[in-house]
Amino acid sequence: MTMQAMKRLEARYGRELPLLAFTDLRVVNEQLETQHESYWKLHRMNPRQANHFARLLGQNVVTGCTAMLNRPLLKMALRMPDEAEMHDGWTALLAAAFGASEPVLTQTMLYRQHCHNILGAAKPEPQLKVPKLRHHQERQKRWQMSERQAKALLRIHGAELMADKRRILEAFVQCGESGNRLSRIGTALRHGFYVPWVRNNLSMLWYLWDLKAAKVTPQK
Protein backbone atom coordinates (compact mmCIF):
# COMPACT_ATOMS: atom_id res chain seq x y z
CA MET A 1 0.00 0.00 0.00
CA THR A 2 2.77 2.46 0.89
CA MET A 3 4.73 1.59 -2.25
CA GLN A 4 1.60 2.08 -4.33
CA ALA A 5 1.15 5.51 -2.76
CA MET A 6 4.75 6.39 -3.62
CA LYS A 7 4.24 5.26 -7.21
CA ARG A 8 1.16 7.46 -7.46
CA LEU A 9 3.18 10.40 -6.18
CA GLU A 10 5.96 9.74 -8.69
CA ALA A 11 3.46 9.41 -11.55
CA ARG A 12 1.91 12.75 -10.62
CA TYR A 13 4.96 14.80 -9.63
CA GLY A 14 7.93 12.97 -11.16
CA ARG A 15 10.84 11.29 -9.41
CA GLU A 16 12.94 14.42 -9.05
CA LEU A 17 10.80 16.07 -6.35
CA PRO A 18 11.04 15.08 -2.66
CA LEU A 19 8.12 12.72 -2.01
CA LEU A 20 6.77 11.10 1.15
CA ALA A 21 4.19 8.34 1.75
CA PHE A 22 3.08 7.45 5.28
CA THR A 23 0.38 5.55 7.16
CA ASP A 24 -1.68 5.39 10.32
CA LEU A 25 -0.89 3.15 13.32
CA ARG A 26 -2.94 0.98 15.66
CA VAL A 27 -2.19 1.73 19.32
CA VAL A 28 -1.70 -1.42 21.40
CA ASN A 29 -0.55 -2.28 24.93
CA GLU A 30 2.31 -4.54 26.05
CA GLN A 31 0.23 -7.62 25.24
CA LEU A 32 -0.51 -6.24 21.77
CA GLU A 33 -4.14 -5.69 22.70
CA THR A 34 -5.76 -2.86 20.78
CA GLN A 35 -6.20 0.31 22.81
CA HIS A 36 -7.12 2.59 19.90
CA GLU A 37 -7.84 1.51 16.35
CA SER A 38 -6.31 4.67 14.88
CA TYR A 39 -3.51 6.89 16.17
CA TRP A 40 -4.78 9.66 13.89
CA LYS A 41 -8.32 9.49 15.28
CA LEU A 42 -7.03 9.32 18.86
CA HIS A 43 -5.27 12.66 18.37
CA ARG A 44 -7.80 14.01 15.87
CA MET A 45 -5.11 14.44 13.27
CA ASN A 46 -5.94 15.16 9.65
CA PRO A 47 -3.21 13.33 7.68
CA ARG A 48 -4.08 15.23 4.53
CA GLN A 49 -2.60 18.31 6.20
CA ALA A 50 0.81 16.84 5.36
CA ASN A 51 0.61 19.00 2.23
CA HIS A 52 -0.48 22.10 4.16
CA PHE A 53 2.85 23.73 4.91
CA ALA A 54 1.54 26.33 7.37
CA ARG A 55 -0.32 23.74 9.45
CA LEU A 56 2.70 21.44 9.62
CA LEU A 57 4.79 24.17 11.24
CA GLY A 58 2.75 23.76 14.41
CA GLN A 59 1.60 20.14 14.26
CA ASN A 60 3.33 17.18 12.65
CA VAL A 61 1.03 14.44 11.30
CA VAL A 62 3.70 11.97 10.10
CA THR A 63 5.01 9.10 12.23
CA GLY A 64 8.50 8.20 11.09
CA CYS A 65 8.27 4.43 11.44
CA THR A 66 5.48 4.36 8.84
CA ALA A 67 7.13 6.68 6.34
CA MET A 68 8.59 5.93 2.92
CA LEU A 69 10.90 8.57 1.41
CA ASN A 70 12.12 8.75 -2.15
CA ARG A 71 15.79 9.45 -2.80
CA PRO A 72 15.53 13.25 -3.33
CA LEU A 73 13.75 13.62 0.03
CA LEU A 74 16.25 11.34 1.74
CA LYS A 75 19.15 13.46 0.46
CA MET A 76 17.53 16.61 1.83
CA ALA A 77 16.67 14.98 5.15
CA LEU A 78 20.29 13.95 5.71
CA ARG A 79 21.06 17.66 6.20
CA MET A 80 18.96 17.63 9.35
CA PRO A 81 20.01 20.33 11.85
CA ASP A 82 20.12 20.16 15.64
CA GLU A 83 17.00 22.34 15.76
CA ALA A 84 14.93 19.52 14.24
CA GLU A 85 13.15 18.20 17.30
CA MET A 86 11.94 15.00 15.60
CA HIS A 87 13.18 13.45 12.37
CA ASP A 88 9.68 12.71 11.06
CA GLY A 89 8.43 16.25 11.61
CA TRP A 90 11.45 17.72 9.84
CA THR A 91 11.09 15.30 6.92
CA ALA A 92 7.39 16.11 6.59
CA LEU A 93 8.21 19.84 6.46
CA LEU A 94 10.73 19.26 3.68
CA ALA A 95 8.21 17.28 1.64
CA ALA A 96 5.57 19.98 2.11
CA ALA A 97 8.03 22.75 1.23
CA PHE A 98 9.63 21.17 -1.83
CA GLY A 99 7.49 18.24 -2.95
CA ALA A 100 4.40 16.35 -1.82
CA SER A 101 3.08 13.67 0.51
CA GLU A 102 0.33 11.09 0.40
CA PRO A 103 -1.21 9.47 3.48
CA VAL A 104 -2.25 5.83 3.33
CA LEU A 105 -5.57 5.76 5.20
CA THR A 106 -5.04 2.50 7.04
CA GLN A 107 -3.02 1.17 9.96
CA THR A 108 0.09 -0.70 8.82
CA MET A 109 1.89 -0.92 12.19
CA LEU A 110 1.21 -1.71 15.82
CA TYR A 111 2.29 1.19 18.04
CA ARG A 112 3.08 -0.59 21.29
CA GLN A 113 2.70 1.41 24.51
CA HIS A 114 4.55 0.27 27.63
CA CYS A 115 5.90 1.70 30.87
CA HIS A 116 9.26 2.64 29.33
CA ASN A 117 8.00 4.71 26.37
CA ILE A 118 9.98 7.93 26.03
CA LEU A 119 7.43 9.23 23.55
CA GLY A 120 4.10 7.64 22.93
CA ALA A 121 0.42 7.94 22.19
CA ALA A 122 -0.42 10.00 25.26
CA LYS A 123 -4.10 10.39 26.01
CA PRO A 124 -5.20 13.86 24.92
CA GLU A 125 -6.80 16.25 27.37
CA PRO A 126 -10.60 16.68 27.21
CA GLN A 127 -11.44 19.40 24.73
CA LEU A 128 -14.23 20.82 26.87
CA LYS A 129 -11.68 21.68 29.53
CA VAL A 130 -11.02 25.43 29.50
CA PRO A 131 -7.32 26.35 28.98
CA LYS A 132 -5.67 27.93 32.00
CA LEU A 133 -5.05 31.60 31.38
CA ARG A 134 -1.44 31.93 32.51
CA HIS A 135 -0.35 28.30 32.28
CA HIS A 136 2.14 29.05 29.50
CA GLN A 137 5.02 26.63 30.12
CA GLU A 138 3.89 23.87 27.73
CA ARG A 139 2.57 26.35 25.17
CA GLN A 140 5.89 28.17 25.13
CA LYS A 141 7.83 24.93 24.86
CA ARG A 142 5.77 23.77 21.86
CA TRP A 143 5.85 27.14 20.11
CA GLN A 144 9.59 27.67 20.58
CA MET A 145 10.34 24.17 19.29
CA SER A 146 8.37 24.92 16.13
CA GLU A 147 9.96 28.35 15.85
CA ARG A 148 13.48 26.88 16.05
CA GLN A 149 12.64 24.48 13.24
CA ALA A 150 11.22 27.28 11.11
CA LYS A 151 14.36 29.36 11.57
CA ALA A 152 16.56 26.37 10.73
CA LEU A 153 14.56 25.69 7.58
CA LEU A 154 15.02 29.31 6.53
CA ARG A 155 18.74 29.17 7.27
CA ILE A 156 19.44 25.93 5.44
CA HIS A 157 16.93 25.96 2.59
CA GLY A 158 15.74 29.56 2.40
CA ALA A 159 17.43 30.25 -0.92
CA GLU A 160 15.77 27.19 -2.48
CA LEU A 161 12.24 27.87 -1.26
CA MET A 162 9.47 29.19 -3.45
CA ALA A 163 8.49 32.73 -2.48
CA ASP A 164 5.13 31.72 -0.96
CA LYS A 165 6.70 29.10 1.32
CA ARG A 166 9.41 31.50 2.39
CA ARG A 167 6.80 34.12 3.29
CA ILE A 168 4.96 31.55 5.43
CA LEU A 169 8.16 30.69 7.32
CA GLU A 170 9.02 34.34 7.86
CA ALA A 171 5.49 35.02 9.09
CA PHE A 172 5.68 32.13 11.55
CA VAL A 173 8.92 33.51 13.00
CA GLN A 174 7.40 36.98 13.13
CA CYS A 175 4.51 35.64 15.24
CA GLY A 176 6.89 34.87 18.06
CA GLU A 177 8.98 38.02 17.74
CA SER A 178 6.53 40.83 17.02
CA GLY A 179 5.89 43.25 19.85
CA ASN A 180 2.33 43.88 18.69
CA ARG A 181 -0.40 41.62 20.04
CA LEU A 182 -2.83 42.23 17.21
CA SER A 183 -0.11 41.66 14.62
CA ARG A 184 0.80 38.28 16.18
CA ILE A 185 -2.80 37.09 16.28
CA GLY A 186 -3.60 38.46 12.83
CA THR A 187 -0.55 36.78 11.29
CA ALA A 188 -1.42 33.41 12.85
CA LEU A 189 -5.03 33.58 11.63
CA ARG A 190 -4.17 34.93 8.19
CA HIS A 191 -1.63 32.19 7.41
CA GLY A 192 -3.55 29.36 9.05
CA PHE A 193 -1.11 28.36 11.78
CA TYR A 194 -3.73 26.08 13.30
CA VAL A 195 -3.34 22.90 15.35
CA PRO A 196 -5.86 20.10 16.06
CA TRP A 197 -8.83 20.86 18.33
CA VAL A 198 -10.47 24.11 19.25
CA ARG A 199 -9.00 24.06 22.77
CA ASN A 200 -5.44 23.77 21.45
CA ASN A 201 -6.01 26.65 19.06
CA LEU A 202 -7.38 28.81 21.84
CA SER A 203 -4.31 27.96 23.93
CA MET A 204 -1.99 28.87 21.07
CA LEU A 205 -3.75 32.17 20.38
CA TRP A 206 -3.81 33.03 24.08
CA TYR A 207 -0.05 32.35 24.28
CA LEU A 208 0.57 34.70 21.33
CA TRP A 209 -1.68 37.36 22.87
CA ASP A 210 -0.03 37.06 26.28
CA LEU A 211 3.48 36.60 24.90
CA LYS A 212 5.17 39.24 27.05
CA ALA A 213 3.89 37.62 30.25
CA ALA A 214 4.66 34.15 28.91
CA LYS A 215 8.32 34.99 28.34
CA VAL A 216 8.83 35.98 31.98
CA THR A 217 6.95 32.92 33.33
CA PRO A 218 9.43 30.62 35.16
CA GLN A 219 10.04 27.45 33.18
CA LYS A 220 9.69 24.09 34.89
Side-chain angles (χ1 to χ4, degrees):
M1 288 181 287
T2 308
M3 178 61 79
Q4 290 170 343
M6 180 59 74
K7 288 181 178 179
R8 286 193 295 269
L9 286 167
E10 290 181 339
R12 183 174 181 180
Y13 298 102
R15 295 185 176 184
E16 294 76 26
L17 286 182
L19 302 173
L20 171 65
F22 63 101
T23 79
D24 197 1
L25 310 96
R26 177 176 298 179
V27 182
V28 300
N29 62 15
E30 293 187 17
Q31 289 73 45
L32 303 186
E33 298 167 334
T34 298
Q35 303 298 294
H36 300 281
E37 286 289 338
S38 167
Y39 180 79
W40 290 341
K41 289 182 180 179
L42 172 63
H43 290 281
R44 299 183 188 179
M45 291 179 174
N46 180 358
R48 291 185 175 88
Q49 288 188 355
N51 289 306
H52 195 304
F53 185 57
R55 300 283 174 85
L56 274 188
L57 288 170
Q59 174 66 45
N60 176 40
V61 297
V62 176
T63 307
C65 58
T66 73
M68 176 180 288
L69 291 65
N70 71 348
R71 189 168 295 279
L73 180 55
L74 176 62
K75 288 181 177 179
M76 293 192 79
L78 289 175
R79 298 164 61 188
M80 190 174 302
D82 293 338
E83 294 92 337
E85 188 73 14
M86 299 296 293
H87 67 283
D88 44 16
W90 180 259
T91 303
L93 280 174
L94 291 176
F98 296 101
S101 297
E102 181 176 325
V104 177
L105 305 180
T106 190
Q107 300 81 38
T108 61
M109 295 192 69
L110 302 181
Y111 191 15
R112 188 166 70 96
Q113 304 299 294
H114 52 81
C115 60
H116 299 297
N117 281 106
I118 296 175
L119 295 173
K123 185 178 179 180
E125 290 192 62
Q127 288 307 294
L128 294 179
K129 184 178 178 182
V130 177
K132 295 181 180 179
L133 290 183
R134 286 287 169 88
H135 189 66
H136 287 311
Q137 289 87 352
E138 281 302 313
R139 298 167 195 160
Q140 183 174 16
K141 179 180 177 182
R142 289 194 300 268
W143 183 272
Q144 289 182 344
M145 180 195 76
S146 299
E147 187 178 68
R148 286 194 297 270
Q149 289 196 139
K151 289 179 177 179
L153 194 55
L154 273 172
R155 185 184 73 246
I156 298 170
H157 297 288
E160 308 162 53
L161 283 167
M162 297 289 288
D164 60 333
K165 301 292 174 59
R166 185 180 178 90
R167 283 195 296 269
I168 290 171
L169 275 177
E170 291 171 342
F172 190 85
V173 172
Q174 179 188 353
C175 270
E177 295 182 345
S178 172
N180 186 292
R181 282 176 162 175
L182 293 178
S183 176
R184 293 194 297 266
I185 298 298
T187 299
L189 295 175
R190 184 169 62 254
H191 290 278
F193 299 140
Y194 306 136
V195 292
W197 307 343
V198 172
R199 180 179 184 274
N200 288 352
N201 281 302
L202 290 175
S203 292
M204 178 193 70
L205 292 173
W206 173 243
Y207 168 72
L208 291 175
W209 178 263
D210 204 33
L211 190 60
K212 185 175 179 180
K215 287 186 175 180
V216 298
T217 301
Q219 297 298 296
K220 295 182 180 180

